[in-house]
Amino acid sequence: MNPLEQEIRALIESEGPIPLSRYMALCLGHPRYGYYMTRDPLGTAGDFVTAPEMSQMFGELIGIWCADVWRRMGEPHPVHLAELGPGR
């Protein structure tokens, strides 16, 4: 049994069943044992490669799509476009 499994088991024993969302948050983001805390999942040595790392074409296509949607909306002012976490 690994340390994260021990912590999750102890948590369930003390508090009862936990939602899947909490279980996944622990598995992925636990400060010491979480998946994203113990390895770099991105890139050729990781588990997956994100589109921005493959080619800038993905970003360019998203930009063109955004411009098209903005025009179809009647070109509202102001418009806020937020990019959250592209690639690394």
Side-chain angles (χ1 to χ4, degrees):
M1 184 179 320
N2 67 50
L4 180 57
E5 182 180 352
Q6 290 174 339
E7 285 197 28
I8 292 172
R9 285 177 179 269
L11 175 69
I12 292 171
E13 286 176 14
S14 67
E15 297 182 16
I18 61 173
L20 178 61
S21 59
R22 187 162 183 202
Y23 172 79
M24 291 304 298
L26 288 167
C27 289
L28 298 175
H30 185 279
R32 290 183 56 202
Y33 309 119
Y35 178 80
Y36 292 114
M37 306 305 166
T38 58
R39 66 187 52 87
D40 182 5
L42 301 176
T44 54
D47 293 332
F48 57 91
V49 177
T50 62
E53 293 173 349
M54 297 296 291
S55 167
Q56 71 183 41
M57 185 181 300
F58 178 77
E60 292 172 0
L61 290 171
I62 294 295
I64 292 168
W65 174 79
C66 289
D68 179 58
V69 170
W70 176 71
R71 286 190 184 120
R72 290 173 189 239
M73 292 169 53
E75 300 180 9
H77 293 280
V79 65
H80 301 281
L81 178 62
E83 182 176 10
L84 304 174
R88 293 182 183 271

